[in-house]
Amino acid sequence: DTPNLTKLGSAAFYEFPMAKITLPDTLTEIGYAAFKHCAQLESLDIPNGVKEIPGSLLEMEQDESNGWASITSLTSISMAPDVTKINGWAFANCTHVTSFDGLADSLKGLTSLGEGALMGISISDILIYIPETLDQTSIGRFTFNGANLGTDLEIPSFITELGENAFGWAKLEHV
């Protein structure tokens, strides 16, 4: 119980052996790679005060066998629906997540989406797309790599550049 906690620093829970963490509603900032190497994490609830998801939030070491690592125990993520920034590699390789509350609503008003941010996200009831509200003209490398993008994807006219493997291995039929 930490009623005054407003910030988690970088790698705050580095290699912490936890399955679930509940962050206080007073939290407004989460540092880079705050949950780095938390291989046992099953659930993560990000409170409403957090408007920016940091880079490499759930970073894991690369796996020599496939080149990418993921937290295979993580099945549930919840975040405020009014998050405006998802930084690079924030949710990369969350391939076992089956519930991601807040993502669909956040995509409606997202202003910044970092490279690799949604790489591998494949949640059947959430259509992942490029929001019209982005303040950027490029989709960075690996941003939607391996993601479930439904059957159709429209690339908004303000996008002028697609990075390396921006949509590589994505589940998609038409662009």
Side-chain angles (χ1 to χ4, degrees):
D1 187 23
T2 55
N4 297 318
L5 184 67
T6 59
K7 179 181 179 180
L8 290 181
S10 296
F13 288 99
Y14 182 85
E15 290 188 356
F16 197 75
M18 62 187 157
K20 183 177 180 358
I21 183 168
T22 302
L23 300 170
D25 290 337
T26 55
L27 195 68
T28 58
E29 186 178 344
I30 299 176
Y32 177 85
F35 302 100
K36 184 175 184 171
H37 297 192
C38 290
Q40 297 173 24
L41 189 63
E42 296 172 2
S43 172
L44 179 63
D45 296 326
I46 302 167
N48 289 338
V50 177
K51 304 298 183 222
E52 180 175 344
I53 305 300
S56 298
L57 177 67
L58 301 159
E59 183 178 321
M60 292 292 288
E61 292 294 333
Q62 285 193 337
D63 182 343
E64 294 297 324
S65 65
N66 67 15
W68 302 108
S70 63
I71 300 175
T72 57
S73 59
L74 186 65
T75 59
S76 173
I77 299 173
S78 176
M79 69 180 188
D82 55 351
V83 164
T84 59
K85 294 183 177 186
I86 300 177
N87 290 309
W89 312 100
F91 298 114
N93 296 312
C94 291
T95 56
H96 290 75
V97 171
T98 57
S99 173
F100 198 143
D101 292 339
L103 179 60
D105 288 332
S106 286
L107 284 172
K108 294 175 186 172
L110 210 60
T111 61
S112 179
L113 185 60
E115 64 182 27
L118 297 174
M119 181 173 126
I121 290 289
S122 184
I123 301 165
S124 61
D125 61 341
I126 297 176
L127 178 61
I128 307 298
Y129 61 93
I130 301 170
E132 294 282 341
T133 53
L134 286 182
D135 290 338
Q136 61 195 60
T137 59
S138 65
I139 300 299
R141 63 191 193 105
F142 297 98
T143 300
F144 296 103
N145 184 284
N148 179 11
L149 301 171
T151 57
D152 297 303
L153 177 71
E154 183 175 331
I155 298 175
S157 62
F158 64 87
I159 299 296
T160 59
E161 181 181 344
L162 298 178
E164 172 191 358
N165 278 316
F167 298 97
W169 298 283
K171 294 167 188 76
L172 180 66
E173 292 179 22
H174 302 97
V175 178

